[in-house]
Amino acid sequence: MKDSPQPIKRRRYDAAFRAEALRLAGESRSTQAAARALNINVKLLYKWQKEALTPVAAARGAEFDPATAAELRQLRATNRRQAQELEILKKAIAIFSVTDNQ
């Protein structure tokens, strides 16, 4: 029986490499040139760029570096607090506008 060819193992890229690849592609005048410089398939780089633009990527905080993930958590907490303050102010306006008209 002949030896069957070994399956090709896919390379896995960590979040830091992806972030650096996206940064390089953004600074480069062509995504293809960035892919050649990193020795990766250009379709893979295009896929990463598309994923970075989708809201799903923002939901996965694990792909961010720790500083960015911390900033994202802080901004979301600030956003929640400001939304609560806005609701309180809307209720206050409604209460005071009723008492002023009477």
Side-chain angles (χ1 to χ4, degrees):
M1 183 174 203
K2 286 188 170 182
D3 290 319
S4 61
Q6 294 293 325
I8 298 173
K9 290 186 179 182
R10 292 185 183 193
R11 284 183 59 187
R12 295 195 182 257
Y13 301 98
D14 61 352
F17 181 84
R18 287 183 183 200
E20 180 63 21
L22 290 172
R23 186 194 62 77
L24 182 62
E27 292 177 356
S28 177
R29 59 172 205 213
S30 102
T31 303
Q32 292 178 348
R36 278 193 303 268
L38 294 168
N39 197 26
I40 61 173
N41 189 331
V42 69
K43 289 182 182 181
L44 183 61
L45 189 52
Y46 281 128
K47 179 183 169 194
W48 291 347
Q49 287 174 329
K50 184 178 177 182
E51 287 175 354
L53 296 176
T54 61
V56 174
R60 293 182 298 196
E63 292 189 5
F64 295 125
D65 63 336
T68 305
E71 182 182 10
L72 180 60
R73 282 191 301 274
Q74 179 186 6
L75 290 172
R76 285 180 176 166
T78 302
N79 189 18
R80 281 191 302 273
R81 187 180 67 248
Q82 288 178 343
Q84 289 173 345
E85 290 173 1
L86 182 61
E87 288 301 314
I88 292 169
L89 291 173
K90 284 180 183 178
K91 290 177 183 178
I93 288 173
I95 291 170
F96 289 117
S97 64
V98 170
T99 57
D100 289 339
N101 292 335
Q102 293 177 355

